[in-house]
Amino acid sequence: MMKKLFFALVLIPALIACNNNGTNSDGSESSSSSSSKSEKDKKISKRDFSINASNAYNNLFFDSSALEKFITEEKVSDSISRRMRSFYNTRNYQYAWFSPDGLTEQARGFWNMHSYHTTYTNDSALKDKVLQKKMDGLIEDEFSVSASDKSILKTELTLTEHFILYALNNIEDGYLKRKEMERFIPRRKEDPIMLADSLLAKKHKDNKYYEDVNENYKKLKAVMEQYVGIQKAGGWPVMDVSVKKIKTGAAIALLKKRLQLSGDMPGIDTSAVFNDSLKNAIMNFQQRHGYTADGKLTDAQLKDMNVPVIKRIEQILINMGRMQWMVTNPSGRRIVVNIPEYILHVTKDGAKDFDMNVVVGKDGHNTVMFTGNLNQVVFSPYWNVPASIVKNELLPKMASNPDYLASQEMEINGQDGDLPSIRQLPGDKNALGRVKFLFPNSFNIYFHDTPSKSLFNNDKRAYSHGCIRLSDPVKMANYVLQDDPEWTPSKIEDAMNAGVEKYVKVKKSIPVLITYYTAWVDDAGQLHFADDIYNHDTPLAAKMFTGSY
């Protein structure tokens, strides 16, 4: 795990600092201050009054007096309260964790990291039952936010306090500077090239950089430099949107240039011939964009090829921000599902054990991002049909066909309010297949087998009602139960086919992280892009970036 770095009751000097009196341009206190030498050395960022409703990342503000009241009432320590003032000064007291339409993406990302940390470490400073209960409710719900809501504002400030505590206690000393910490969450709309240049150009005298303690972030930052260079040189050529038209020599030569610029085709081949080098380049492009690498271009792949470089830079910046919330250098076993990638990654002590194709929730039935603990395996499971599916799908079919439930090996086993409670019996038709894996959460999401095996042959695999279907559930069952000598491979196979539901407790629960990355760099150094299947990137880009490209 990373060690130290992130994230007052003496109100008069603090308020002076918040109002920018007695400070130098670098945020340190001026020599004319009457405070002690130790107080002079305490740095605080100046308030950025240039941030306003028109250029802010998040158009929701609060009064600075609310922060002072929180610090006094909650008895926040001097070191943390000073950083909180500095944090909000840089934002001009703009909310960090809430927007008018609810929790921000950064709030959800931080809370996932926070939950992982409080579950798997003994850091008592971050364990807060009141905050946990509040966030559990907020994570589940869709809601609007008013700047005058005192409960939301208290949660906002408590999250910031926890954010600073987490950083101070868990990021190695010196690798995240104070001002960088204050910019972890976007503050204002910025030109993407200027933002990228600022990240690429920064130099620290102590040669300590945040990316050195976050490998995934570091790899994305490294490839961003290449893309910024391409943009500054004029971008890459736009291909015809129809594969049928890429037959002439000129079109083939242009295709080669495009693939050379993105690094898919090495060398400087400018010939107008469709050769093996071009086929290999197309296959590399396909593999990096989530397609079957067969060397045969499609119109959809050409559309991906024509995404402007600047949009890819924005995508990289957005995902660098997301990677700030991933727990790095984990110990023990861990399961990570990247929704847009349709892949489940299993690691131990940070090293890969195996990957597995998955099916995730279709649009409208989104698989939610959260952190859980896989602690039970259920063999030959019943499928307890969710009330929404009963209402919207089963009742209409039952009305038109009285034998529908029997034909699907389903039964009514009670009442759920105004609806019948329906479950599907274990067996070949069961939607969960022969096994499911539970990591308790408020979203009722879990891993499971499926009888619909053909879906795993598709490149894009968003078909479920929110749960995650596994392409190789037998492998997962053997992996999860490997520490239990009672559960041999043959016994697992028997239980999966027994037709009798059986719960098995996992001896040591395994962390499960559900993530959403649309750009990342793999272990081989290849940059990947994935479709923004739930449309998270587009609204985030609108809030983060200015400029017309």
Side-chain angles (χ1 to χ4, degrees):
M1 279 284 292
M2 305 178 287
K3 292 188 294 196
K4 288 190 171 178
L5 203 183
F6 239 45
F7 344 72
L9 302 176
V10 187
L11 293 180
I12 294 175
L15 287 169
I16 291 173
C18 282
N19 286 294
N20 301 323
N21 295 323
T23 58
N24 297 318
S25 60
D26 65 354
S28 61
E29 295 181 356
S30 67
S31 59
S32 61
S33 172
S34 60
S35 58
S36 66
K37 185 177 186 301
S38 62
E39 289 174 329
K40 292 177 185 177
D41 292 337
K42 295 172 182 177
K43 296 182 179 180
I44 184 168
S45 294
K46 296 177 68 174
R47 185 165 178 175
D48 188 348
F49 288 99
S50 69
I51 295 176
N52 54 53
S54 63
N55 64 13
Y57 169 75
N58 182 15
N59 187 16
L60 196 68
F61 294 81
F62 65 93
D63 192 277
S64 60
S65 63
L67 173 60
E68 298 307 322
K69 183 179 180 182
F70 175 86
I71 288 169
T72 301
E73 292 180 349
E74 300 301 319
K75 297 181 174 58
V76 181
S77 71
D78 181 66
S79 61
I80 300 301
S81 61
R82 189 171 59 252
R83 285 180 177 269
M84 290 182 72
R85 293 188 184 98
S86 193
F87 176 82
Y88 282 110
N89 274 354
T90 65
R91 308 181 62 77
N92 199 17
Y93 291 83
Q94 168 194 171
Y95 277 72
W97 310 106
F98 292 91
S99 67
D101 56 357
L103 286 168
T104 62
E105 180 176 299
Q106 290 80 16
R108 294 176 183 276
F110 172 59
W111 193 247
N112 282 346
M113 184 170 69
H114 186 283
S115 297
Y116 182 101
H117 181 73
T118 54
T119 300
Y120 291 98
T121 73
N122 295 317
D123 189 351
S124 59
L126 290 177
K127 292 186 176 180
D128 184 330
K129 291 183 179 179
V130 175
L131 180 62
Q132 180 75 51
K133 183 177 180 180
K134 180 72 172 180
M135 289 300 293
D136 285 348
L138 293 174
I139 288 286
E140 286 185 56
D141 298 335
E142 293 183 5
F143 59 96
S144 58
V145 175
S146 166
S148 62
D149 188 326
K150 293 181 180 179
S151 175
I152 291 294
L153 179 54
K154 184 175 181 180
T155 304
E156 160 79 18
L157 298 174
T158 305
L159 283 171
T160 300
E161 181 184 8
H162 277 239
F163 169 62
I164 293 168
L165 280 168
Y166 178 90
L168 289 173
N169 293 337
N170 295 284
I171 298 181
E172 190 173 347
D173 191 27
Y175 283 92
L176 186 66
K177 313 306 181 190
R178 174 179 58 84
K179 290 189 176 183
E180 290 175 329
M181 182 265 291
E182 293 164 3
R183 290 162 174 75
F184 238 55
I185 301 167
R187 304 167 303 134
R188 65 194 307 158
K189 294 178 175 65
E190 298 189 63
D191 180 282
I193 294 299
M194 293 179 66
L195 176 58
D197 278 341
S198 69
L199 292 172
L200 293 168
K202 67 179 181 180
K203 300 293 181 185
H204 296 162
K205 291 181 180 179
D206 61 4
N207 206 33
K208 291 183 176 180
Y209 297 92
Y210 170 70
E211 52 263 36
D212 292 329
V213 292
N214 188 329
E215 185 66 21
N216 292 324
Y217 179 97
K218 182 177 186 177
K219 290 190 290 189
L220 258 187
K221 180 182 174 182
V223 298
M224 181 174 68
E225 185 169 12
Q226 173 197 352
Y227 275 62
V228 170
I230 296 170
Q231 173 66 22
K232 290 181 176 179
W236 47 48
V238 177
M239 303 302 304
D240 199 299
V241 294
S242 173
V243 170
K244 294 179 181 178
K245 295 182 179 179
I246 302 183
K247 293 181 178 180
T248 66
I252 291 173
L254 193 66
L255 177 60
K256 288 182 176 181
K257 181 180 179 181
R258 164 64 183 83
L259 293 170
Q260 286 165 355
L261 282 170
S262 58
D264 293 292
M265 186 172 184
I268 53 173
D269 180 2
T270 58
S271 67
V273 178
F274 195 108
N275 51 22
D276 287 344
S277 295
L278 179 55
K279 182 178 180 180
N280 289 336
I282 291 170
M283 291 172 66
N284 197 64
F285 177 88
Q286 290 170 326
Q287 190 266 336
R288 292 194 308 109
H289 290 78
Y291 295 103
T292 300
D294 58 9
K296 300 175 182 178
L297 274 177
T298 67
D299 290 352
Q301 292 164 18
L302 281 175
K303 186 178 179 181
D304 277 345
M305 203 173 285
N306 284 336
V307 173
V309 182
I310 188 65
K311 294 301 179 186
R312 292 305 191 192
I313 293 170
E314 291 180 357
Q315 196 173 355
I316 290 170
L317 287 166
I318 285 169
N319 284 277
M320 285 173 65
R322 288 178 179 143
M323 285 174 178
Q324 292 174 151
W325 308 114
M326 173 58 78
V327 176
T328 58
N329 302 322
S331 59
R333 294 188 289 176
R334 186 168 75 165
I335 299 171
V336 179
V337 177
N338 185 24
I339 297 169
E341 188 185 5
Y342 310 108
I343 297 287
L344 175 151
H345 305 275
V346 179
T347 62
K348 184 175 182 181
D349 298 329
K352 181 188 293 188
D353 271 349
F354 61 87
D355 293 341
M356 185 180 295
N357 288 346
V358 297
V359 168
V360 301
K362 57 189 174 184
D363 191 22
H365 297 275
N366 299 9
T367 300
V368 183
M369 291 165 279
F370 67 96
T371 299
N373 302 294
L374 198 162
N375 59 13
Q376 288 187 91
V377 180
V378 185
F379 293 113
S380 297
Y382 285 97
W383 178 39
N384 297 299
V385 185
S388 60
I389 298 178
V390 171
K391 179 180 179 180
N392 299 323
E393 300 180 29
L394 297 192
L395 289 184
K397 293 176 180 177
M398 291 163 62
S400 61
N401 178 7
D403 296 324
Y404 178 76
L405 289 186
S407 71
Q408 300 302 309
E409 298 181 4
M410 292 180 173
E411 64 182 12
I412 296 174
N413 65 322
Q415 196 72 16
D416 183 7
D418 296 332
L419 296 172
S421 177
I422 297 175
R423 67 181 183 179
Q424 190 173 37
L425 304 175
D428 293 339
K429 290 188 176 182
N430 190 286
L432 306 185
R434 301 179 297 160
V435 62
K436 68 178 179 179
F437 304 84
L438 302 182
F439 36 100
N441 58 84
S442 55
F443 309 107
N444 197 29
I445 290 176
Y446 44 84
F447 300 147
H448 65 87
D449 184 16
T450 174
S452 304
K453 304 294 187 185
S454 62
L455 296 179
F456 294 105
N457 297 326
N458 299 340
D459 292 334
K460 312 299 180 182
R461 298 186 293 276
Y463 300 106
S464 81
H465 283 85
C467 287
I468 298 167
R469 305 175 191 175
L470 305 179
S471 59
D472 195 345
V474 176
K475 184 171 187 176
M476 181 62 76
N478 279 280
Y479 179 81
V480 168
L481 296 174
Q482 63 180 282
D483 296 329
D484 192 336
E486 178 186 352
W487 285 96
T488 63
S490 60
K491 186 173 180 180
I492 288 172
E493 188 66 29
D494 289 343
M496 290 178 70
N497 293 289
V500 178
E501 187 175 69
K502 183 175 181 60
Y503 281 73
V504 178
K505 186 176 181 180
V506 177
K507 282 188 175 294
K508 186 175 182 181
S509 63
I510 304 172
V512 174
L513 290 83
I514 312 297
T515 64
Y516 193 93
Y517 297 126
T518 58
W520 68 94
V521 177
D522 65 19
D523 293 338
Q526 287 267 50
L527 173 62
H528 293 254
F529 292 108
D531 292 342
D532 180 21
I533 59 174
Y534 296 157
N535 195 38
H536 290 331
D537 288 5
T538 302
L540 199 56
K543 292 173 66 174
M544 285 181 64
F545 304 121
T546 62
S548 177
Y549 294 92

